């Protein structure tokens, strides 16, 4: 009877968790969608839409990369627009049609918004149990600056969501096999960098922070960082391979890089860069 009662309580708790999460996610999403239809474009959004559509048409991320913009969020924002182009057989014009296209592009941010809420919920549960997860997702769903960014077709919510997922999976699988300990974090590290180039720095810094916290809880830090260094080296190295494959290459010279290489002093470095 005790086991049956415990199973029933766990089942009820899971149902409450999911109902709580879906309510928070839906309510915040409705706010984001209604706000997005009333906000004018930011400086970046028209450029993202134009370059994103060109990337889908040409299969090249070259124009985005020249801007210093990583392609994953922009690809997601503009995918529905490109599908609409192919379906209707009419090429969209981001300049004249911006007011009509912008709400659709902004809706793509909700994918990353739900991802951020989901991992905030899971992280809260790990730290403080069921109510820790519920409070965490409620606070995230009501946070004004996060809601503001979730209403725009920009990259900040995307990198935040992917970074939180990276930290969660890395921290929760430190004693697991290679696939969970390194393989899954590798994909999330790649997604973080593909969302925003700053993820290349924030990722390892956050992983170092949670590893130090874990080792301090175990009572010893000195001499126990070698496995961490080994795992993070694999995560970063393999993740960058995924990033390079996703971004692709047009196999064209980049004029600014060529000029920079030619400006280096004559020597081994200058000659190798040229």
């Amino acid at each position: 009877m005790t086991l049956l009662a415990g199973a029933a309580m766990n089942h009820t708790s899971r149902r409450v968790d999911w109902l709580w999460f879906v309510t928070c996610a839906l309510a915040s999403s409705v706010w984001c969608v209604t706000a997005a239809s009333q906000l004018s474009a930011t400086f970046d959004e028209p450029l993202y839409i134009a370059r994103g559509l060109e990337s889908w048409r040409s299969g090249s991320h070259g124009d985005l990369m020249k801007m210093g913009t990583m392609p994953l969020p922009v690809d997601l924002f503009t995918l529905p627009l490109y599908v609409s182009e192919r379906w209707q057989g009419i090429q969209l014009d981001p300049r004249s049609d911006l007011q009509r296209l912008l709400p659709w592009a902004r809706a793509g941010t909700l994918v990353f918004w739900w991802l951020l809420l989901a991992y905030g919920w899971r992280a809260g549960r790990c730290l403080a149990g069921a109510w820790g997860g519920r409070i965490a997702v409620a606070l995230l769903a009501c946070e004004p600056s996060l809601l503001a960014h979730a209403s725009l077709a920009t990259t900040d919510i995307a990198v935040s969501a992917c970074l939180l997922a990276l930290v969660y999976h890395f921290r929760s699988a430190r004693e697991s096999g290679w696939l969970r300990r390194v393989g899954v974090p590798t994909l999330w590290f790649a997604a973080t960098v593909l969302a925003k180039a700053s993820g290349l720095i924030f990722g390892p810094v956050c992983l170092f922070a949670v590893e130090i916290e874990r080792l301090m809880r175990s009572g010893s830090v000195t001499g126990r960082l070698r496995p961490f260094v080994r795992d993070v080296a694999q995560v970063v190295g393999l993740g960058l391979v995924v990033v390079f494959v996703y971004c692709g290459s047009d196999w064209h010279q980049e004029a600014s890089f060529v000029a920079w290489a030619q400006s280096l002093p004559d020597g081994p470095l200058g000659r190798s860069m040229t």
Side-chain angles (χ1 to χ4, degrees):
M1 291 295 292
T2 303
L3 292 176
L4 290 175
M9 289 180 63
N10 288 336
H11 182 68
T12 301
S13 178
R14 284 195 296 269
R15 292 182 62 182
V16 171
D17 282 345
W18 279 107
L19 181 61
W20 184 288
F21 172 78
V22 171
T23 300
C24 290
L26 284 177
S28 60
S29 298
V30 169
W31 188 94
C32 292
V33 170
T34 54
S37 64
Q38 301 178 48
L39 298 173
S40 61
T42 65
F43 173 80
D44 294 330
E45 288 177 303
L47 203 55
Y48 287 170
I49 293 175
R51 293 291 185 267
L53 284 172
E54 286 299 323
S55 293
W56 281 111
R57 294 164 187 161
S58 65
S60 168
H61 290 123
D63 289 339
L64 278 172
M65 302 301 293
K66 289 177 183 178
M67 293 166 46
T69 300
M70 299 306 287
L72 180 60
V74 179
D75 284 348
L76 181 61
F77 300 156
T78 53
L79 177 58
L81 306 180
Y82 178 67
V83 170
S84 176
E85 274 193 349
R86 299 299 301 268
W87 181 266
Q88 298 179 6
I90 301 174
Q91 184 165 308
L92 301 175
D93 184 354
R95 293 184 179 180
S96 61
D97 296 335
L98 181 62
Q99 293 304 314
R100 182 168 60 91
L101 302 181
L102 193 57
W104 290 99
R106 286 173 168 174
T109 307
L110 294 179
V111 175
F112 295 108
W113 177 239
W114 279 60
L115 187 67
L116 178 65
L117 295 179
Y119 277 100
W121 172 39
R122 297 182 71 176
R125 282 183 63 89
C126 288
L127 291 171
W131 273 105
R134 294 166 190 167
I135 293 173
V137 71
L139 290 175
L140 286 172
C142 297
E143 209 287 317
S145 60
L146 291 177
L147 284 170
H149 282 287
S151 306
L152 305 173
T154 51
T155 59
D156 297 287
I157 290 296
V159 69
S160 300
C162 293
L163 183 60
L164 182 55
L166 165 66
V167 170
Y168 174 84
H169 284 287
F170 186 83
R171 177 63 180 84
S172 63
R174 293 304 294 137
E175 306 298 331
S176 302
W178 185 91
L179 183 60
R180 290 190 60 209
R181 193 182 73 254
V182 174
V184 174
T186 291
L187 297 178
W188 283 114
F189 176 75
T192 302
V193 178
L194 286 168
K196 202 165 189 175
S198 57
L200 185 61
I201 302 300
F202 285 125
V205 168
C206 290
L207 297 186
F208 178 73
V210 297
E211 182 69 3
I212 290 296
E213 181 270 342
R214 184 182 75 89
L215 293 177
M216 290 181 66
R217 282 179 178 272
S218 68
S220 175
V221 176
T222 306
R224 299 187 61 186
L225 282 175
R226 182 173 296 179
F228 166 77
V229 173
R230 177 199 63 209
D231 290 345
V232 169
Q234 294 180 76
V235 168
V236 172
L238 295 174
L240 288 177
V241 171
V242 176
V243 170
F244 288 133
V245 170
Y246 186 97
C247 291
S249 173
D250 299 333
W251 303 106
H252 294 157
Q253 291 182 346
E254 179 56 47
S256 62
F257 286 4
V258 173
W260 168 78
Q262 292 175 344
S263 70
L264 295 173
D266 186 39
L269 177 61
R271 287 193 294 273
S272 62
M273 290 296 101
T274 301

